[in-house]
Amino acid sequence: MALAVIKFSSEDCGICHKMSFYDKKVVEELGLEFIDVKMQDTATYRKYRKILLTQYPDKSEMGWPTYIVCDSTEEALILGEVKGGHPKGEFRTRLQSVLDQNND
């Protein structure tokens, strides 16, 4: 099963920008596809909106940024998430934890 990490972020978010220096690299090192969705990019946002709203129907509990781990099929089954800003090593650990939970 091919897995993807969808990053929902804002162009105005400093933490989102800071994490962009390493988040894609970490995701790809773990063998996952990285999809970057900026909330201001309406065309891209519309494409992935359903996935975000499945996890956060009113968006109130999401973090900045929010990374949703899902399979990359049309149904996009959500496997887990990482919310908020983290140093590179902790980000990797949290993503790996989501993957490990789904391998049990």
Side-chain angles (χ1 to χ4, degrees), residues 8 33 35-37 41-42 50-51 64-65 86 95 103:
F8 291 94
E33 177 185 358
I35 301 166
D36 191 6
V37 178
D41 179 353
T42 53
K50 182 180 174 193
I51 297 167
W64 293 101
H86 305 283
L95 265 182
N103 286 333

Side-chain angles (χ1 to χ4, degrees), residues 60-78:
S60 67
E61 299 293 318
M62 67 180 286
W64 293 101
T66 292
Y67 298 86
I68 295 180
V69 182
C70 58
D71 68 16
S72 53
T73 65
E74 283 296 313
E75 292 80 40
L77 174 69
I78 296 171

Side-chain angles (χ1 to χ4, degrees), residues 8-73:
F8 291 94
S9 65
S10 170
E11 292 173 1
D12 304 328
C13 171
I15 294 170
C16 301
H17 179 70
K18 204 182 265 187
M19 290 193 65
S20 70
F21 288 103
Y22 55 82
D23 57 7
K24 180 178 181 180
K25 183 177 182 193
V26 169
V27 167
E28 290 176 347
E29 285 172 357
L30 292 173
L32 310 171
E33 177 185 358
F34 183 80
I35 301 166
D36 191 6
V37 178
K38 299 241 184 321
M39 302 302 264
Q40 293 86 348
D41 179 353
T42 53
T44 305
Y45 174 67
R46 274 193 206 113
K47 184 175 179 182
Y48 296 100
R49 180 176 185 267
K50 182 180 174 193
I51 297 167
L52 179 64
L53 295 180
T54 296
Q55 193 77 346
Y56 297 102
D58 64 3
K59 298 186 204 164
S60 67
E61 299 293 318
M62 67 180 286
W64 293 101
T66 292
Y67 298 86
I68 295 180
V69 182
C70 58
D71 68 16
S72 53
T73 65

